[in-house]
Amino acid sequence: MNTPLDHRTVLMAELLARPAAASASADPLRVVLASLLVGRALNQGVLSATLGLSQADFAALWDRYFPGEPIRLQDGPGKDSLELDDIHQLLLGHRAGNQVSEVWLARIVACACSGRDHLWQDLGLANRTELSTLMRLAFPTLAALNVGDMKWKKFIYRHYCSTEGIYLCPAPSCGECADHAKCFAPEE
């Protein structure tokens, strides 16, 4: 019997075995991008089938990082939040500046922030460690500010609100989250 974990592993291996452009193969974020795509293939998370990217950006990501026949991706239930553009700009302002994938990931993460679960779940990633890797590599100056190991969505919203002078700023789903008490818990 195939479990979702088995299917994720097989799809990840298939995507990462594709002969990507040299710059894409060397991008440490390629594994995270593959996991985002696999999440959409498995209908995990809230992102659209294009991960929240324009058709042109999604096609460029696919062609550069995972050339060949696309895997079937499904649209998630996500909707744009009022803060989408502001969160996107916040992330762009903290990007490492090493890869074009950081620009795409800023949009992808901003789109997933509208979801109701933890950010790694709304992104369709396998676990929070993948999200922490994404944040550390793509947005290192922002990640370095998360010294209390706050959950990423709450941290992003808190940082956004503090820079905008907004004093009452819950992340979109904190009031409904079953893990509310664990928001400052250490990584497991």
Side-chain angles (χ1 to χ4, degrees):
M1 178 175 171
N2 285 341
T3 65
L5 182 59
D6 292 340
H7 201 100
R8 178 176 276 279
T9 301
V10 169
L11 284 172
M12 285 286 293
E14 189 273 324
L15 284 176
L16 293 171
R18 294 179 177 206
S23 62
S25 289
D27 185 348
L29 290 162
R30 185 172 185 244
V31 173
V32 174
L33 291 168
S35 189
L36 290 165
L37 292 167
V38 169
R40 284 307 335 130
L42 297 175
N43 201 23
Q44 297 171 343
V46 300
L47 295 171
S48 67
T50 61
L51 307 179
L53 299 173
S54 69
Q55 287 291 343
D57 283 344
F58 185 76
L61 180 155
W62 193 266
D63 291 342
R64 185 178 293 169
Y65 282 76
F66 309 103
E69 186 68 29
I71 59 175
R72 186 167 183 256
L73 304 179
Q74 303 176 51
D75 276 326
K79 302 204 179 342
D80 290 347
S81 69
L82 294 174
E83 305 86 13
L84 174 67
D85 291 333
D86 294 328
I87 298 295
H88 182 218
Q89 290 303 312
L90 169 76
L91 292 165
L92 285 174
H94 287 278
R95 66 182 279 255
N98 298 323
Q99 305 288 337
V100 68
S101 61
E102 299 159 8
V103 175
W104 298 328
L105 285 164
R107 182 67 182 191
I108 293 166
V109 171
C111 288
C113 279
S114 68
R116 308 303 292 170
D117 287 319
H118 293 291
L119 185 53
W120 68 268
Q121 293 167 315
D122 288 334
L123 285 163
L125 294 172
N127 53 53
R128 186 171 186 251
T129 301
E130 285 185 344
L131 175 57
S132 293
T133 298
L134 180 163
M135 296 300 292
R136 190 178 65 256
L137 293 174
F139 315 110
T141 57
L142 184 62
L145 296 173
N146 191 1
V147 294
D149 194 30
M150 187 185 289
K151 300 302 186 254
W152 284 111
K153 188 186 299 184
K154 186 163 186 78
F155 173 77
I156 290 168
Y157 269 83
R158 282 252 176 111
H159 187 74
Y160 159 69
C161 290
S162 71
T163 59
E164 295 297 314
I166 302 169
Y167 299 104
L168 198 54
C169 184
S173 61
C174 288
E176 302 169 15
C177 181
D179 293 331
H180 184 74
K182 298 178 183 175
C183 271
F184 289 91
E187 293 275 340
E188 295 177 7

